[in-house]
Amino acid sequence: MPSRFLLSVLSLAVFLVGATEFMVAPLLSPIAASFAATPTDATWLISGYALAYALGAPLVGLVAHRIDRRALLVTALLLLAADGLAVTLAPSLAVAIVLRVLGGLAAAALVPTVFTLIADLFARDRHAQAMGLAMLGMTAGIAGGPAMAGILAESCGWRAPFLASVAGCLMLAPLVVRLVPGGGSASIQTAERLRFRVAGATLRLFIAKALWNGTAVAGFALSAEFLRGRYGTDTAETGLAVTVFGLGLALGNLAMGPARRLLGTDAAVLTFAVFVLAAAIGAFFLVPLQLPAALAALTVWGAALGLAAPASTALLAERAGVAKAFWLAGSESANNIVLFAMLPLAAGAATGFVLGAGMTLSLALLLADRRLQRRNRKAASQRRKNDTGRRTDTVG
């Protein structure tokens, strides 16, 4: 039975990942000024982190089942602390960008490990709800990290948010040692066998998740400029986009438990959430809404994403079995790959149609998967009946 404080500690760990990645956004100008560079140059601090995250996740997944997960979490937190400290001490922007790789690798190890631990330590019917609460930490980091960083930088300089992140990681590491049980997952041989056995069912879910998640996040990345162009909003008004989207994400994360009780299964929650997500994205970009309605659509968009993410993560972990660390880590990488591919495609005049294509493909995969799963369950049920009938005939 896991400690009642474990989920809070895991949520805080994920919060630090979200905050560390996105807190750079309001710091671009002061960082650029400090290194005699431009804010555009400084954006590579975000890109370098994200790229290391995307490339590192599958590599971590390949070895995660060999490593003690408590040790992996502690190592990731220490790497994240090293990243923050290294950036503050970097002699040039180029060096700081290279050192941000440490943070990306830390995130690549930390996030999938958190969800793997939840799948291992919590009861199956609590997986999605527990993952939703852990993702609430990421949501808080994404939404609150930039605001906290801006306040700290304004009063203490741009290095202060990075040092605060260092302190948070170092304070959390002993709690991880105390509360997270040691041990890895299954042997390599077992994991490899199961990985091939479940590849078909898992791969469908894996690709669908990458499509709707990457598409939804790419759309959000473009939403602020879309608001500015369509409604003529100023910078402060455009900032509402981040606020309402973050609020929606939090509501979706918190609604995971009630939604599962209402709809019955994680698969039903996921399908419902992705339908709502597609509708909200379509309404935002393709329907000539008034500004309040557009912000409402953005809130629903965030809520649907906050609901779909834990449901899909729980399903992916269930199907992958002992190979869950590999699949969950790979999923993080696939999400980022679709995001990188979607952004340039959707940045032109056909934003809504490009995003709509991504959402349509993901929905088609999810619906096909549900049909195949139902067919497989019926076939398995029929086999059990046939086996029971044969045993009865033998006894007779």
Side-chain angles (χ1 to χ4, degrees):
M1 181 70 179
S3 165
R4 66 181 184 275
F5 300 113
L6 176 61
L7 196 56
S8 297
V9 168
L10 296 179
S11 185
L12 281 172
V14 176
F15 166 83
L16 287 168
V17 170
T20 301
E21 180 172 4
F22 288 92
M23 72 182 186
V24 178
L27 307 179
L28 294 177
S29 291
I31 290 174
S34 176
F35 289 117
T38 67
T40 301
D41 294 333
T43 60
W44 278 100
L45 289 168
I46 301 173
S47 299
Y49 182 103
L51 186 61
Y53 190 165
L55 296 178
L59 299 177
V60 170
L62 286 172
V63 299
H65 55 268
R66 310 183 190 188
I67 303 172
D68 180 279
R69 287 190 180 138
R70 179 172 58 196
L72 189 58
L73 270 183
V74 172
T75 301
L77 285 169
L78 294 179
L79 267 179
L80 202 58
D83 165 61
L85 187 61
V87 170
T88 65
L89 299 175
S92 68
L93 181 60
V95 172
I97 290 167
V98 170
L99 293 173
R100 281 291 276 173
V101 169
L102 295 173
L105 292 176
L110 195 150
V111 176
T113 302
V114 163
F115 294 126
T116 301
L117 277 167
I118 289 172
D120 284 344
L121 298 176
F122 288 82
R124 171 66 191 88
D125 60 356
R126 287 197 61 205
H127 282 179
Q129 183 178 8
M131 288 178 183
L133 292 174
M135 286 180 182
L136 189 60
M138 177 70 82
T139 299
I142 293 170
M148 290 186 287
I151 293 169
L152 280 173
E154 189 69 27
S155 57
C156 305
W158 68 263
R159 290 177 174 83
F162 289 95
L163 295 175
S165 173
V166 172
C169 292
L170 294 180
M171 287 190 291
L172 195 58
L175 293 176
V176 169
V177 172
R178 181 174 179 81
L179 296 176
V180 174
S185 58
S187 68
I188 300 169
Q189 293 80 11
T190 303
E192 289 291 338
R193 285 198 300 271
L194 187 60
R195 188 177 303 154
F196 286 109
R197 183 171 68 82
V198 302
T202 310
L203 189 60
R204 288 192 299 272
L205 192 62
F206 178 92
I207 295 172
K209 182 176 186 289
L211 282 170
W212 59 255
N213 195 308
T215 299
V217 176
F220 174 65
L222 300 170
S223 63
E225 284 305 311
F226 183 83
L227 285 172
R228 194 191 305 273
R230 174 179 280 185
Y231 303 103
T233 56
D234 60 26
T235 301
E237 290 169 336
T238 304
L240 283 172
V242 176
T243 305
V244 299
F245 185 80
L247 174 63
L249 273 176
L251 291 173
N253 294 156
L254 291 170
M256 184 61 229
R260 193 180 189 280
R261 288 192 291 272
L262 180 65
L263 297 175
T265 65
D266 293 334
V269 173
L270 176 59
T271 305
F272 168 77
V274 175
F275 264 115
V276 174
L277 184 60
I281 292 172
F284 182 85
F285 284 107
L286 298 176
V287 179
L289 303 171
Q290 296 295 315
L291 180 58
L295 293 178
L298 196 58
T299 305
V300 173
W301 175 352
L305 184 59
L307 196 60
S312 64
T313 303
L315 272 174
L316 193 59
E318 179 188 8
R319 291 191 189 179
V322 295
K324 64 177 75 71
F326 171 81
W327 285 97
L328 291 177
S331 178
E332 294 295 317
S333 182
N335 294 344
N336 281 291
I337 289 170
V338 172
L339 170 61
F340 291 144
M342 273 288 180
L343 275 174
L345 291 173
T351 300
F353 295 102
V354 172
L355 298 176
M359 294 306 301
T360 300
L361 283 173
S362 65
L363 275 171
L365 268 176
L366 284 177
L367 292 173
D369 177 72
R370 293 202 70 180
R371 284 196 295 271
L372 286 169
Q373 291 297 307
R374 277 197 292 268
R375 185 186 304 170
N376 291 342
R377 284 195 295 270
K378 286 180 181 178
S381 176
Q382 187 60 49
R383 283 195 298 271
R384 285 193 296 270
K385 288 180 181 178
N386 292 341
D387 290 344
T388 301
R390 281 194 293 270
R391 284 195 296 270
T392 302
D393 291 342
T394 302
V395 171

